[in-house]
Amino acid sequence: MTPPSLSWRALETRVGLDALPSFHRAFLAWRGVEGAGEMPLRRVGQRVEAELNRLVQGGQARRQGEDWLLSPGALDGFGAARPYLEGL
């Protein structure tokens, strides 16, 4: 039996529009992207997609249309996601 995957888009929906830019910047910082806090918002979105694609390349996620399905444990250590992961 395959463990359930976490939809990145569902997670973003739980975060909400107001908090999403900060969440994305925290994700980039967690992934080791330098200067995420000063990056223009459009660039942040591009880099988030690039990092999600790196998770796919590393076998921690798979792409499904406009979404990324993250494997269990793919966000371990990403503290900013913890409050939004409850119940998913």
Side-chain angles (χ1 to χ4, degrees), residues 18-31:
D18 290 343
L20 203 53
S22 295
F23 181 80
H24 281 165
R25 284 187 169 95
F27 174 72
L28 292 178
W30 175 70
R31 294 284 297 166

Side-chain angles (χ1 to χ4, degrees), residues 60-85:
Q60 293 182 289
R62 63 185 165 88
R63 186 82 191 250
Q64 187 174 62
E66 293 295 313
D67 198 0
W68 290 263
L69 300 178
L70 307 176
S71 300
L75 297 179
D76 285 355
F78 179 36
R82 194 170 299 122
Y84 306 105
L85 294 173

Side-chain angles (χ1 to χ4, degrees), residues 26-54:
F27 174 72
L28 292 178
W30 175 70
R31 294 284 297 166
V33 175
E34 292 190 29
E38 296 79 38
M39 227 178 256
L41 194 53
R42 182 177 179 159
R43 183 76 178 124
V44 168
Q46 294 168 341
R47 286 304 303 261
V48 166
E49 286 198 18
E51 290 303 315
L52 290 168
N53 288 330
R54 283 188 180 89

